[in-house]
Each structure stands twice: as structure tokens, then as C-alpha cells.
Amino acid sequence: SMMRPSQRPSAFKADSALLCITIVVAPQLLGGAFPWTVLVISGLCLASLGMALWVRRSSAAPVIDGVFIMMGVAWLWTCLQAVPLPSTLAHTLRLASVQSVERLEGLAWADRIPFTVSYDPGSTYVQILIGVGILSSFLTARMGGPGGLKPIAAATVVSATLLGLVGVAHEAAGMDALFGIYAPQYTSTRLLAPLMNGNHLAGFCLMGALLAVGLAGDERDPARRTGFVSASVFCALVLAWTLSRGAIGALLFGFLLLVAWFVSRSRGRAKDSKAAIPVTVVVAATAGVVAFAGLGPILRRFETEGFDKLELATLGLRLLDGSAWWLGVGRGAFSAAFVAHEGSLARATHPENLLVQWTTEWGIPVATALLLVLAAALWRRFRGTEDPIIAASGIAIFALVLQNLVDFSLE
């Protein structure tokens, strides 16, 4: 992690190319909003891993560590949540599926309801497939070693920029159907893009804007540096367009951290200051424009909506009763569990909070262990680094997590 940009070994091979293609293509497939898109995206991730196992079979970087093990544990636990259990064990654990069968007792098909930890096994099956894609892409990236970070970061910037361009093109053409084919039915957004939820689009552009700054700081070529800075500005403006309160706040905080990192890095290093000063100026200017553009509308949204999302997260914590506090309600099953607890007058698909989402769906033990392992790994990678891409990656992830405390866009 302490390698200078010029010292990073080249790791761009066929598997890296396929992974970068996946990063660009996956959001265009409606971000996996439909089952067939989940199949395609997971298939691309598996193909990338297969390619990596082939082309790097003799030189792959080590991938077995605490992060991989804990991610594997979380995925295996997701699988177990959807496994039908014997009636005796289900009653002993006081599973919600037992209560479902009791409520439907007397119906012809009531005895066919499986006794599972998950409130909604079908949604958990989808999450198992999504987990396969996440683990596959993670392993592919890890096998590429430190040199694989730059093309992955660049692909993320390209992907976020392309999402914004598609959205602007739809707005300019006055289209209300995505690609002229699909008109969103269950969500509304200020900018129609393949990520149809405004918070999701803002979260992805948040990553793109911050990573582009790191790539600009890493570049010695003026033309490429200008290109990355332009991409960062564009992603930030698209983010402001969405009026996502959490994303705008997280972006401003991320920009401040990046400016502080660049300033501290350039002290006493004239060569680095030449690259850091223009990047820092552009970042600060962009942050000011975003704040100016979004402040008024955001304040009006606070007046009308207040802190309703924090109230939703509080309601979500009620799901942690009985055995759910350690077993969870099932990955992807928050919505079904919410209706079971709160009634059918209102239905929330997510609690709009990362901590509540993971703890309610996985249970407190698994969610806490995963969060701690990921946080420790991120801190070790970020601490003391002099590589702007590593710094920007760490800050981008941290900013995305901040947004996910009020806008659940990570999924």
C-alpha cells in the first residue's frame, strides 16, 4: 500500500479487463433491479473470477485473509437462513415461519410453508446469488494485487460518468421511459437513469466523484488529469441534481477529507504540490457549487420531510426481538419482516440505514463481526498511505457509508 504510483506493478490482464467491463455494464442493467439482470451481473462476475484463476494461476496475489473469511461467513449464513429446518428445531428457535404457519392453519397449502430463519426465503435466494457476484468480483480484484486498484477505480469513474450522461440524455430528450423501454412504476427520480432510485444514483456518483480526484492526483499527464477532474465535477453535479440529502452531505465531507489529505501530503514536497494545488482548488470549487446548488432545495426538503428516515431506522430496530437479534430476519427479508411486525398499512423495503439493515437481516453477531473486520481492513489500507488512489478509495468508501446511515444506496 506504500508503493508510489510509478512503482505499482502493472496488473491489467484479461481478467482485469473483464472485471472493468462488468463495473461499467452492471449499473446499466438497471443495477440488478430484476432477476434476469442479477443473473447476468453475477455471471459476469463469475466469468471474471474464472478468467483470473486461469491467467493468474501461477502469480496470483494472496486472497485468504480475515476480510475474505468474514465475507464468506456472511454469505454462508445467508445460505443457512434460507434452508428449511425441522419443525421441532423451528419451534425451539421460535422462528417467524412457525407463526406464519399457525396464522394460515386450515388453508390447503399452509403445511407447505418452509420453516426457515428468513421471513422471505425467495428474497434470500436472490441475495445468495448477489453474494456470489460480490465474492467473485472481490476475489478477482484481490488476485490482481495492488496494481489492479487503478483500473478498477478508473472503471468506476467511467461507469458513474456514463450513468450521469445517460440520465442527462434522457432529460434532454424529455423521455419518461428508460432507454425508451421501461417506465419506472415504483420509484420517482429527478433524473431518469439506469439506477432509477435517486439515492442509489447519488451514491454511485459519490464514489465516482471522489475516486476521480484520486486518479487526477495520481496522474502526471496534464490531459488525463484534466479528464479525471472533469469527470469528478460532472459526477458531483449529477449528484447535486438528485437532491439526495445524505449523498450531498457525504460528498462535501469526502471532499474536505481529500483536500486535507492532499495538503498534508504536499507539505515539503514541491513535486507533489504542483499536482495537489490545482486538484485541491478544483475540488474546493466543486464542493462550493454543489453546496450552493443543493442547499436551498435540501433545506426545503427538511422542512417538509424532517428526519423521517431516522424514524424509519428506529422502527426497524423493533425487528430485533425474540431469536431475530442473533439469527436475523433473513438477508433481503426486511420488508416482509417489517410488515409482520408493523402491519400492512405502511411497507418499508429498507430501513434506510446500513447498521439497522445488516443487524436486522443477518443478526447482531454476524453483522457486527463483518463491520469490524471491514473497518479494520479499510483503516490499515488507508493509514499512512501516500498513494492518492488508495486515499481516495478509502475516503470514497467512508463517505458512502456515511450516506448509507440515512440513505440506503449500497444495495
Side-chain angles (χ1 to χ4, degrees):
S1 62
M2 297 299 293
M3 288 184 177
R4 299 287 300 128
S6 59
Q7 296 175 315
R8 285 194 300 263
S10 175
F12 197 78
K13 297 183 179 180
D15 59 321
S16 298
L18 187 54
L19 180 60
C20 290
I21 291 172
T22 302
I23 292 172
V24 174
V25 170
Q28 298 297 323
L29 295 175
L30 311 184
F34 299 101
W36 70 268
T37 59
V38 175
L39 283 171
V40 173
I41 295 169
S42 296
L44 287 170
C45 295
L46 280 171
S48 300
L49 178 59
M51 184 71 72
L53 292 172
W54 173 254
V55 302
R56 301 184 190 275
R57 56 189 181 275
S58 61
S59 60
V63 297
I64 306 300
D65 62 358
V67 175
F68 171 74
I69 292 173
M70 196 57 234
M71 289 177 66
V73 168
W75 181 78
L76 289 174
W77 181 239
T78 303
C79 295
L80 289 174
Q81 288 179 318
V83 173
L85 301 175
S87 175
T88 303
L89 180 59
H91 280 81
T92 301
L93 296 175
R94 300 175 61 190
L95 298 181
S97 54
V98 174
Q99 301 173 11
S100 299
V101 172
E102 291 175 348
R103 285 196 299 266
L104 300 173
E105 188 175 359
L107 297 178
W109 46 270
D111 59 347
R112 293 198 295 270
I113 298 177
F115 293 108
T116 61
V117 171
S118 175
Y119 275 70
D120 185 357
S123 296
T124 303
Y125 292 146
V126 175
Q127 291 298 322
I128 291 172
L129 184 58
I130 291 174
V132 169
I134 292 173
L135 285 172
S136 299
S137 56
F138 173 79
L139 289 176
T140 304
R142 288 292 299 273
M143 290 177 71
L149 179 58
K150 185 172 184 177
I152 290 173
T156 305
V157 172
V158 170
S159 188
T161 303
L162 182 59
L163 278 176
L165 290 173
V166 171
V168 171
H170 279 74
E171 182 72 16
M175 299 173 63
D176 55 7
L178 190 60
F179 299 125
I181 299 174
Y182 178 76
Q185 301 177 14
Y186 306 108
T187 185
S188 59
T189 179
R190 292 173 53 85
L191 187 65
L192 183 61
L195 291 183
M196 292 172 283
N197 184 291
N199 291 326
H200 298 181
L201 176 62
F204 206 87
C205 288
L206 167 66
M207 293 282 288
L210 295 173
L211 287 173
V213 174
L215 289 163
D218 183 68
E219 277 295 337
R220 295 293 178 262
D221 181 79
R224 292 182 179 178
R225 184 186 303 158
T226 301
F228 283 126
V229 169
S230 300
S232 178
V233 173
F234 178 73
C235 288
L237 293 177
V238 171
L239 185 154
W241 197 332
T242 68
L243 291 184
S244 171
R245 293 170 289 176
I248 290 178
L251 179 68
L252 295 176
F253 190 72
F255 273 157
L256 288 175
L257 288 180
L258 272 176
V259 168
W261 185 87
F262 273 110
V263 170
S264 63
R265 174 176 176 263
S266 62
R267 287 177 179 173
R269 299 170 61 176
K271 184 178 180 180
D272 286 335
S273 64
K274 292 179 180 179
I277 290 175
V279 170
T280 301
V281 170
V282 171
V283 166
T286 303
V289 171
V290 170
F292 178 79
L295 184 59
I298 285 177
L299 289 177
R300 286 194 294 271
R301 289 190 66 184
F302 270 117
E303 292 175 359
T304 57
E305 300 179 19
F307 296 92
D308 54 327
K309 292 187 176 181
L310 297 180
E311 296 175 3
L312 177 58
T314 303
L315 289 176
L317 291 174
R318 296 182 184 179
L319 274 58
L320 293 171
D321 63 345
S323 59
W325 76 267
W326 65 281
L327 293 175
V329 300
R331 189 78 173 110
F334 177 87
S335 183
F338 186 87
V339 170
H341 280 72
E342 302 297 328
S344 57
L345 293 179
R347 186 184 187 101
T349 58
H350 299 90
E352 301 293 354
N353 182 285
L354 172 66
L355 301 179
V356 177
Q357 183 86 26
W358 282 13
T359 53
T360 54
E361 291 191 344
W362 269 320
I364 292 177
V366 171
T368 301
L370 180 61
L371 286 167
L372 290 176
V373 169
L374 292 176
L378 180 63
W379 176 247
R380 287 197 304 269
R381 186 71 164 149
F382 176 77
R383 182 183 58 186
T385 185
E386 295 184 357
D387 188 327
I389 299 180
I390 294 176
S393 299
I395 292 173
I397 295 171
F398 179 64
L400 186 63
V401 169
L402 283 182
Q403 185 212 0
N404 277 259
L405 295 180
V406 290
D407 290 328
F408 196 65
S409 68
L410 187 63
E411 299 287 296

